[in-house]
Every structure is written in C-alpha cells, then in structure tokens.
Amino acid sequence: MEGCRQASTVDKHQTTSHAEELSKVNLDRIQDWINQGRLDPSKPITLYELVKSNAIHGIKDGVKLLARGATVLSTPINIVVSRASQFAISAVEKLGGTVVTRYYTKHSIRRILQRKTDPFVSLRWDSENLPIPQQPLAPGMGSDPTRKIKGNGFQYRLPDPTSRKDLEYYRDPAKRGYLSHTIKEGDSPSLFFRNPNAKVGTEKKQKKGGKKITDERLW
C-alpha cells in the first residue's frame, strides 16, 4: 500500500508539473487601470503593458483574460493575451474592442519585458487579418514581419507554436487565435480534421492482387 501511495504521488506530480502557469487579469482591473491612467486604451494592451503597469504581479507562461467585472468595463480595448475566456471575449467585443490570443514561451516573455522582442508580431502574425493596430514603422519596412521587428528596434523574433496542442488552440477562431486566418473554408482547427469535400487520399496499387486502395493518411 505504501508503494502504491508513493507511486500515486509521483504520478500526480508529473501530471501537474508541466501545466501552464498563466497569470490572470480581470476586466474590472483593466478598467480601473485605465481610469487611473496606468493603461492607455488607445494602444494595444499586451503582456508588456500589463506587467509594467502592475496590473499583474509576475508572469511565467503567459496571461489569461477573465470576465470578472465585465459590467464595469466601459472602454473599448485591443488586447493580446495567451488565453481568454469566452465571457471576457464577448464583453470586450460588445464594446467594439478586440481580443487576440497568441503563443508565448518563457524565454520570449522575458525578452518582451526587456524590450528585446516585439510583444505580438511574429512570422505568422498576419497584420491584414488581425484586428490589432500596428505601431508606426520606420520608412520602407513594408509588411514583412522580420523587417517590421528590426524596424521597431527589436533584437529577437517572437516564436510561433510547433506542438499540435498549441497549433490547434491558436488556429481556433472561437478562441480568437492569431493563426485562425490560416484555416481554409470548411476546415476545423483540429489538425486531424479532414474536409469531406476535399480529395485527401491518393490511389495506389497493392503489390498482391493488383487492386487499387486509397491512402487515407493525412501526412
């Protein structure tokens, strides 16, 4: 029994040790900070502004926007965070504001706070399809993300997700993911979803019998 209890404790620790630690910020705090002049609603509110204004105290894996005080929020805001609840998204958009969720790593957050990395622009950030106003750029920078980052004086490029879990989250329009513009019409955020109207399979012959079979693999 002692061995079972010990194994159970280890398994629980292993399960929770990799969970993301997201700092939470509520809508009433954001409105209060705007009223005090500590946040500027005319500019995008990002992790950098939230930390530097002390709207949140400390940050590890990112920030989640929550809806407490939704009735208090009276100012349209454009905010970029790691995650956002559906109630928070609805409250912000009801006032004409925007919410975009995007991917961060511990290293990128550290560099954002050091002003070495842009707080939201990356190679896969699409300025034309995302409703966050861009900062003024140096002349001739164009729309290329790498040139934008250099034009704004940043040293490092913000990374984009590579894991299936993160890709599916940030491809989801319902979560206001910044990669949602990459989904084709009729497709799903899931990387294992196949549009029934699309021709995915390829025909090939079996070595024995000569019958044609359809390859159903996605990759």
Side-chain angles (χ1 to χ4, degrees), residues 95-212:
L95 293 172
T98 59
V99 176
V100 175
T101 60
R102 74 144 295 129
Y103 174 76
Y104 294 100
T105 64
K106 284 185 173 69
H107 291 297
S108 65
I109 291 172
R110 190 178 305 119
R111 287 172 174 168
I112 287 170
L113 299 181
Q114 295 170 347
R115 300 301 286 163
K116 294 181 179 180
T117 300
D118 192 284
F120 52 85
V121 176
S122 63
L123 288 180
R124 301 192 69 183
W125 179 278
D126 190 331
S127 302
E128 295 181 0
N129 289 291
L130 293 168
I132 299 297
Q134 300 293 297
Q135 299 296 327
L137 302 174
M141 286 301 104
S143 59
D144 178 71
T146 302
R147 298 185 70 194
K148 279 186 177 182
I149 292 165
K150 291 181 179 179
N152 282 332
F154 296 106
Q155 295 176 251
Y156 299 97
R157 190 176 66 217
L158 197 60
D160 292 305
T162 56
S163 74
R164 175 193 164 195
K165 177 183 176 182
D166 290 328
L167 283 168
E168 289 182 343
Y169 185 94
Y170 294 111
R171 280 162 51 93
D172 193 343
K175 295 179 172 63
R176 301 304 186 266
Y178 79 111
L179 300 178
S180 59
H181 66 275
T182 63
I183 301 179
K184 297 179 181 179
E185 185 177 355
D187 283 354
S188 161
S190 172
L191 295 176
F192 286 94
F193 173 85
R194 183 170 68 244
N195 187 337
N197 297 320
K199 295 181 179 180
V200 178
T202 57
E203 291 186 345
K204 63 180 181 181
K205 291 184 178 181
Q206 286 182 328
K207 291 183 178 179
K208 294 183 180 180
K211 293 182 179 180
K212 290 184 178 180

Side-chain angles (χ1 to χ4, degrees), residues 28-61:
D28 56 355
R29 168 63 65 90
I30 290 177
Q31 185 61 57
D32 188 23
W33 257 231
I34 290 173
N35 294 343
Q36 295 181 42
R38 300 169 74 172
L39 285 174
D40 183 355
S42 69
K43 298 178 181 179
I45 297 173
T46 71
L47 308 188
Y48 180 83
E49 285 75 25
L50 292 172
V51 172
K52 293 303 180 181
S53 68
N54 288 322
I56 56 176
H57 301 286
I59 180 173
K60 290 187 177 181
D61 296 312

